[in-house]
Amino acid sequence: QVQLVESGGGLVQPGGSLRLSCAASGSIFSINVMGWYRQAPGKERELVAATTAGGSTNYADSVKGRFTISRDNAKNTVYLQMNSLKPEDTAVYYCTAELRRYASDSYRDYWGQGTQVTVSS
């Protein structure tokens, strides 16, 4: 079994900051990409940021310069530092990991259950 557990969501005022964490646990051989998606009410799920095991990163245009993704490979954990938050950042944020459970396994995508981020005054 593999579990991705997110933490760090909550309510914050516009202009504030939050830091999300996501730890992957269970039977894991290796992790390739880890990232964050979000889904606002009535909208499709969208990529926020992603990072590879080698440290390459990718961001949605809407969060560039405000959000920073980082990763601790030894802990199988990915972080999302969110600064200068806006009301339009309000969404459920989902962690994802592309990983394989065994050396002979194929890479598969796993998802966390999501954490709510609400930006409001």
Side-chain angles (χ1 to χ4, degrees):
Q1 284 282 43
V2 172
Q3 282 191 314
L4 273 64
V5 179
E6 300 113 332
S7 61
L11 173 65
V12 64
Q13 292 187 343
S17 298
L18 281 175
R19 188 188 193 217
L20 304 183
S21 299
C22 171
S25 63
S27 177
I28 298 171
F29 180 77
S30 65
I31 303 178
N32 184 17
V33 180
M34 298 189 81
W36 294 91
Y37 281 71
R38 67 185 180 188
Q39 188 166 21
K43 294 189 176 182
E44 293 186 354
R45 191 173 296 190
E46 62 174 358
L47 173 68
V48 177
T51 180
T52 67
S56 298
T57 58
N58 182 39
Y59 295 92
D61 288 342
S62 59
V63 307
K64 283 181 181 176
R66 300 188 298 123
F67 290 11
T68 302
I69 190 169
S70 60
R71 176 171 171 170
D72 186 334
N73 290 328
K75 296 181 178 179
N76 290 338
T77 298
V78 64
Y79 307 94
L80 186 67
Q81 178 67 43
M82 304 185 293
N83 299 329
S84 303
L85 282 160
K86 305 175 180 179
E88 51 263 43
D89 294 317
T90 296
V92 177
Y93 283 70
Y94 296 91
C95 171
T96 182
E98 181 188 60
L99 63 87
R100 51 179 175 166
R101 297 178 62 189
Y102 313 103
S104 58
D105 197 9
S106 300
Y107 279 101
R108 306 173 194 272
D109 292 329
Y110 291 81
W111 292 84
Q113 292 190 332
T115 184
Q116 177 69 46
V117 171
T118 301
V119 185
S120 175
S121 55

